[in-house]
Amino acid sequence: MAEAAHILPDMEKEDLRILMAIEIGMKRSEYVTVNNIRFYSRYPMEETLFRLKKVHKWNLTIRDSSKSEVAYTLNSIGYDVLGLHTLVEREIIDQLGPLIGKGKESDVYGCMDDKKNIFALKIYRIGRTSFKNIKKLRSFQGERKHISWLYVNRLAAKKEFDALSKIYELKLDTPKPIGFNRHIIVMSYLRGKELAFYQNLKNPSKIFNKIIKQLKVIYQKANMIHGDLGEFNIIVDNKGNILIIDWLQWIPSDHPNARSILERDIENVCNFFQKKYHIESNPVEIIQSFKKK
Ligand SMILES: Nc1ncnc2c1ncn2[C@@H]1O[C@H](COP(=O)(O)OP(=O)(O)O)[C@@H](O)[C@H]1O
Ligand SMILES: [Mg+2]
């Protein structure tokens, strides 16, 4: 990502258009032949070859010359460049900041708009370490034969952004969605750290109650269940403000597995506060109180 942000200012619009031409071709196959890249970019062959050489030198593409026709595919930096470029062009962000979090399937950076507002920028990296996580997203695949990492990550970003937008209407402590493009989402930032990383909280029962209360409102009013809740997906700052993050795996409350997934979420939170802060609670009762509308 830092590489992408570094290269972006030096890129000409023709370079970006070549990357976009490869991106379009990647909907149909992983590698896109030079001829198809020329077709999608609508540049003459000479210009196409010149730009391809340039973006390849910047290390934004992977080249396959083992077949009769040379073909290219975007690597993750190339895709980052496209996403970042669009966010900058739409004036959603102006500058990329430092890496602030590394999740299982994403990198999260600080970023700033041109009014110096600070946001969190989450960039999806599903399939980076293994394809195991892609399985979770099989439902996205539908009828498609060829499913690229590009597509999976783009859909993940959209899914989380849509979830944030839905919950944000309830005015709770979840990230405000600011914008998204491709595999990147921009949202409000809370300066703090994960619940898991506190040695001691000032008022743990207040925080515990706040979390449970919010989950209840989200369940009752938005019909949503987090699906991956635990001490790593709740940010707390030093004033006791919280932010419930990481909504990729949310499910609707009428989902066939809703009951067990809700139980798991609530038990994770209850167990954590019980073990670390000796706060006693009854997950079964809590879940029952969710259902009474
Ligand atoms: N809105 C945010 N404000 C502050 N920190 C955040 C925010 N979103 C994510 N982070 C940080 O980035 C880490 C990874 O983000 P998360 O959404 O949990 O991704 P993953 O799905 O990969 O676990 C978090 O644990 C947290 O440290
Ligand atoms: Mg997480």
Side-chain angles (χ1 to χ4, degrees):
M1 192 62 170
E3 291 104 311
H6 191 72
I7 294 166
L8 198 54
D10 294 332
M11 292 189 79
E12 294 173 298
K13 65 176 195 306
E14 291 84 359
D15 303 324
L16 289 157
R17 188 149 135 189
I18 279 296
L19 294 182
M20 283 183 237
I22 302 175
E23 181 187 31
I24 295 169
M26 284 175 74
K27 286 186 182 152
R28 310 192 72 205
S29 62
E30 192 184 355
Y31 280 83
V32 190
T33 62
V34 171
N35 224 350
N36 281 342
I37 298 171
R38 180 198 58 78
F39 175 80
Y40 293 127
S41 68
R42 285 187 258 125
Y43 284 145
M45 190 47 107
E46 202 185 337
E47 178 79 16
T48 304
L49 290 171
F50 172 71
R51 296 294 162 183
L52 274 175
K53 201 171 153 189
K54 207 170 153 195
V55 295
H56 192 64
K57 230 179 170 162
W58 266 324
N59 191 24
L60 305 177
T61 54
I62 303 166
R63 186 182 142 107
D64 177 12
S65 47
S66 69
K67 309 265 162 29
S68 60
E69 216 184 329
V70 175
Y72 289 84
T73 192
L74 292 178
N75 66 19
S76 69
I77 309 171
Y79 199 48
D80 292 353
V81 162
L82 289 177
L84 269 190
H85 166 74
T86 304
L87 290 168
V88 171
E89 198 179 53
R90 291 189 192 152
E91 297 183 2
I92 293 167
I93 62 167
D94 184 55
Q95 262 183 61
L96 188 73
L99 185 71
I100 54 176
K102 226 174 162 54
K104 294 183 297 278
E105 40 214 5
S106 73
D107 294 330
V108 178
Y109 289 82
C111 69
M112 234 193 245
D113 68 5
D114 57 6
K115 293 178 199 77
K116 308 266 183 262
N117 296 308
I118 295 176
F119 299 113
L121 181 148
K122 179 172 181 176
I123 175 152
Y124 271 97
R125 303 267 186 229
I126 301 169
R128 169 177 52 187
T129 45
S130 75
F131 279 88
K132 213 172 70 205
N133 288 334
I134 286 197
K135 274 199 204 128
K136 281 193 243 160
L137 296 165
R138 275 285 148 79
S139 54
F140 286 156
Q141 189 169 355
E143 294 297 297
R144 285 172 183 245
K145 284 202 189 69
H146 154 79
I147 179 163
S148 71
W149 58 271
L150 239 77
Y151 180 67
V152 170
N153 284 288
R154 182 156 54 84
L155 280 173
K158 183 170 180 347
K159 185 179 174 197
E160 184 166 11
F161 192 82
D162 288 347
L164 294 182
S165 309
K166 242 175 103 172
I167 317 168
Y168 186 66
E169 292 169 13
L170 303 173
K171 304 246 170 297
L172 302 169
D173 297 319
T174 56
K176 175 182 181 179
I178 306 293
F180 80 103
N181 182 258
R182 294 183 171 83
H183 59 324
I184 306 176
I185 65 179
V186 180
M187 62 191 142
S188 64
Y189 166 71
L190 181 67
R191 191 176 158 176
K193 56 188 179 186
E194 287 93 329
L195 192 53
F197 296 142
Y198 276 86
Q199 291 309 328
N200 239 314
L201 283 175
K202 271 192 214 110
N203 201 338
S205 61
K206 197 170 155 194
I207 289 178
F208 173 73
N209 289 332
K210 192 145 87 176
I211 295 166
I212 297 293
K213 204 169 143 195
Q214 301 220 354
L215 295 176
K216 184 170 170 174
V217 177
I218 291 167
Y219 183 87
Q220 294 184 339
K221 299 221 165 114
N223 301 313
M224 291 169 73
I225 298 167
H226 187 286
D228 189 21
L229 200 65
E231 61 273 26
F232 289 96
N233 284 332
I234 301 168
I235 308 276
V236 182
D237 75 1
N238 57 16
K239 292 192 193 106
N241 294 308
I242 65 163
L243 197 68
I244 305 173
I245 59 164
D246 201 355
W247 286 86
L248 174 65
Q249 300 192 49
W250 79 274
I251 55 158
S253 58
D254 61 359
H255 186 279
N257 299 333
R259 170 113 208 155
S260 67
I261 290 171
L262 178 64
E263 272 169 16
R264 195 181 59 194
D265 277 0
I266 301 294
E267 280 165 11
N268 283 345
V269 176
C270 290
N271 289 343
F272 174 80
F273 279 94
Q274 204 281 323
K275 281 202 189 107
K276 194 148 179 183
Y277 298 104
H278 310 292
I279 294 172
E280 299 300 332
S281 58
N282 185 336
V284 177
E285 267 172 28
I286 291 172
I287 291 162
Q288 242 145 38
S289 79
F290 276 34
K291 311 242 153 149
K292 276 183 225 139
K293 291 202 180 181

